[in-house]
Amino acid sequence: MPAIAIIGAQWGDEGKGKATDLLGSRVDHVVKFNGGNNAGHTVVIDMPDGTSEKYALHLLPSGILSPNCTPVIGNGVVVDVEVLFQELDALSARGVDVSKLKISANAHVIPSYNKAVDKVTERFLGSRRLGTTGRGIGPTYADKMNRIGIRVQDLFDESILRKKVEGALDLKGQVLTKIYNRRAPAVDEIVEELLAYVERLAPMVCDTGLFLNQRLDDGDIVLLEAGQATLLDVDHGTYPFVTSSSCTAAGACTGSGIPPMRLDQVVGIVKAYTTRVGEGPFPTELFDDHGAHLSKVGAEFGVTTGRARRCGWYDAVIARYAARVNGVTDFVLTKLDVLTGFDQVPVCVAYDVGGVRHDEMPVNQSDFHHAVPIYEYLPGWWEDISECRTFEELPANARAYVEAVEAMSGARISVVGVGPSRAATIVRHELV
Ligand code: GDP
Ligand code: IMO
Ligand code: MG
């Protein structure tokens, strides 16, 4: 039975949390396969009394809010154990059942020295900084590749854990003291920190790859929820201004242990305009009143760090690139409501780089830094569309915008978002 991946098609914050929640009642398991608590996924749940409840998920998959779903943290994730229990406790306090969570024994943990290295590296880089979330993500993935990482399973054998921490600190301790002039933590301190939650952790830990493949054999539906997005992917993103994990559809397989042939559907989440948090190139970025309008109406502030998100027009070159890299079968176009109130809505269809037209992402990073958008101007609309529930109810120009963007972006737009809540959704083609 099917495995479905949800991926971000831009630089993150496209509305993956809402999309996951939308499918939550129809899938059996939701897997986070990459990243860690650098993510911030918002889910707004309508209550029977007409109010709504808002949740911000960081380390946990958004599917934890869907009562019939088993939430899974896959092997591709990096886990800050303290944050894990803070998030679980906060959800429990709000009445969410978190008892079904499963965590891969092969996921890596984020020791506190990697949070220190992340922050101090950014300071050290000065104007060349990436604008990371400071959660220790990059250094922990670097340790994984460098084969000095600590895995969840290591926490269950203190003598092995101690040896691994000693090995890691042999290097990281020197980096902290000799390069960054910071205090290196003692081995005991780190061992104690990592063991603090081990009893609570034990019942959740298993071979999640085995579990997920067996459930697929049983006919269950597995949803793989990405953190971050295509342009932040360590291989396919705007390197070095990226995160350190594989956020794309292929990463859904390596990060979960589900083989590629079992993935039937790839749902790309794309905002009707573009945002980016942190440093790095962004061709359609706006520095004018239009950008300020998108920021204000779209409430574009990061869920994790509270930083203002940079805003710009829709970039169809990027969407096509995301469709290609991920094999997107369906797009969910989010936040169309935020585009209400413009006479014209520009859409970037190609780039001009030094007088040369680029219809695809330039392969050279400097070219991308110098890419000037070539815009097509689509007629805008002024009607409030937040109550529209069918495609036909949308004003003609909003429909034309969706159809034009669809024709440029390399896959059908199956769902359109017109507000943050689950109900504020127009389904053109059912996803599951
Ligand atoms: P994620 O990281 O991809 O899950 O996205 P975030 O949660 O960081 O950011 C998306 C924001 O947009 C959240 O505040 C959502 O509640 C909100 N949102 C999602 N879909 C829509 C939509 O269609 N319209 C509006 N106005 N807001 C939306
Ligand atoms: P969601 O899942 C937007 C950005 C950071 C920084 C870069 C590297 O909510 O879409 P890191 O701490 O990962 O090493 O930072 O990646 N970044 C995100 N931007 N949404 C996210 O997650 C992000 N996670 C990381 O701002 O530019
Ligand atoms: Mg987010």
Side-chain angles (χ1 to χ4, degrees), residues 12-18 39-44 54 62 225 228 269 271 297-300 303 309 333-338 416-421 424:
D13 307 323
E14 297 91 350
K16 298 176 289 291
K18 177 183 160 179
H41 294 189
T42 315
V43 178
V44 180
K54 187 168 168 177
S62 308
E225 178 191 6
Q228 295 75 50
I269 316 302
K271 231 179 250 195
V297 179
E300 295 296 353
V303 183
R309 296 173 181 152
L333 184 75
T334 62
K335 300 191 112 167
L336 186 66
D337 52 303
V338 178
V416 178
V418 292
S421 76

Side-chain angles (χ1 to χ4, degrees), residues 76 102 129 272 356 392:
K102 295 191 181 297
R129 72 186 176 280
V356 177
E392 290 64 38

Side-chain angles (χ1 to χ4, degrees), residues 23 32 63-64 74 88 120-121 123 136 148 150 186 191 218 240 247 283 290 304 325 337 376 380 406 420:
L23 301 184
K32 179 177 170 105
I64 201 160
L88 286 172
V120 84
T121 309
R123 241 172 279 151
I148 55 166
I150 316 270
V191 169
D218 294 343
C247 323
H290 287 149
T304 298
V325 167
D337 52 303
E376 200 167 290
E406 179 172 56

Side-chain angles (χ1 to χ4, degrees), residues 8 11-16 32 36-42 57-58 118 122 130-139 226-229 232 240-245 275-280 303-305 307 309:
W11 277 286
D13 307 323
E14 297 91 350
K16 298 176 289 291
K32 179 177 170 105
N37 58 317
N38 48 347
H41 294 189
T42 315
L57 285 316
H58 298 283
D118 191 358
E122 282 282 277
L130 306 178
T132 73
T133 59
R135 305 296 195 260
I137 305 295
Q228 295 75 50
L232 289 173
F241 299 100
V242 293
T243 190
S244 300
S245 69
T275 61
R276 170 162 211 169
V277 198
E279 307 301 319
V303 183
T304 298
T305 58
R307 291 178 289 176
R309 296 173 181 152

Side-chain angles (χ1 to χ4, degrees), residues 9-296:
Q10 296 156 320
W11 277 286
D13 307 323
E14 297 91 350
K16 298 176 289 291
K18 177 183 160 179
T20 301
D21 177 62
L22 205 60
L23 301 184
S25 60
R26 281 183 261 164
V27 304
D28 303 294
H29 314 280
V30 175
V31 187
K32 179 177 170 105
F33 63 82
N34 75 300
N37 58 317
N38 48 347
H41 294 189
T42 315
V43 178
V44 180
I45 296 181
D46 301 313
M47 304 306 284
D49 64 1
T51 59
S52 60
E53 288 272 330
K54 187 168 168 177
Y55 294 88
L57 285 316
H58 298 283
L59 176 55
L60 296 166
S62 308
I64 201 160
L65 300 173
S66 303
N68 298 318
C69 260
T70 312
V72 177
I73 291 182
N75 56 279
V77 174
V78 287
V79 179
D80 183 325
V81 183
E82 189 181 359
V83 169
L84 172 73
F85 287 102
Q86 280 168 1
E87 250 187 272
L88 286 172
D89 290 346
L91 288 179
S92 295
R94 294 177 71 177
V96 177
D97 174 14
V98 299
S99 64
K100 284 188 283 184
L101 178 68
K102 295 191 181 297
I103 301 177
S104 169
N106 288 345
H108 282 240
V109 296
I110 304 179
S112 56
Y113 51 78
N114 278 342
K115 292 185 258 187
V117 170
D118 191 358
K119 289 185 186 129
V120 84
T121 309
E122 282 282 277
R123 241 172 279 151
F124 192 77
L125 284 170
S127 62
R128 290 179 292 118
R129 72 186 176 280
L130 306 178
T132 73
T133 59
R135 305 296 195 260
I137 305 295
T140 302
Y141 279 112
D143 284 1
K144 174 176 174 174
M145 293 305 170
N146 211 10
R147 292 161 294 192
I148 55 166
I150 316 270
R151 293 189 295 175
V152 165
Q153 59 180 280
D154 299 329
L155 307 191
F156 301 105
D157 184 327
E158 193 175 334
S159 70
I160 286 183
L161 176 65
R162 186 167 292 279
K163 281 200 194 97
K164 296 209 170 186
V165 171
E166 273 166 8
L169 279 178
D170 270 350
L171 178 70
K172 310 295 288 227
Q174 305 245 20
V175 170
L176 276 167
T177 51
K178 295 194 176 146
I179 299 178
Y180 296 122
N181 200 22
R182 292 290 191 283
R183 186 185 72 85
V187 172
D188 281 348
E189 210 179 301
I190 299 298
V191 169
E192 193 181 319
E193 159 198 310
L194 292 175
L195 289 179
Y197 298 91
V198 78
E199 274 170 29
R200 285 184 73 186
L201 194 61
M204 302 172 186
V205 176
C206 68
D207 181 344
T208 49
L210 177 66
F211 170 78
L212 291 168
N213 278 287
Q214 285 176 338
R215 295 295 79 77
L216 285 168
D217 290 342
D218 294 343
D220 285 2
I221 302 179
V222 174
L223 184 67
L224 297 140
E225 178 191 6
Q228 295 75 50
T230 306
L231 275 295
L232 289 173
D233 182 278
V234 68
D235 281 270
H236 302 289
T238 47
Y239 190 89
F241 299 100
V242 293
T243 190
S244 300
S245 69
S246 298
C247 323
T248 41
C253 296
T254 39
S256 67
I258 292 176
M261 296 304 279
R262 295 199 97 153
L263 203 61
D264 307 60
Q265 205 180 350
V266 178
V267 180
I269 316 302
V270 69
K271 231 179 250 195
Y273 51 99
T274 313
T275 61
R276 170 162 211 169
V277 198
E279 307 301 319
F282 179 1
T284 63
E285 183 169 14
L286 292 166
F287 300 95
D288 58 6
D289 290 350
H290 287 149
H293 179 88
L294 292 175
S295 165
K296 184 165 175 237

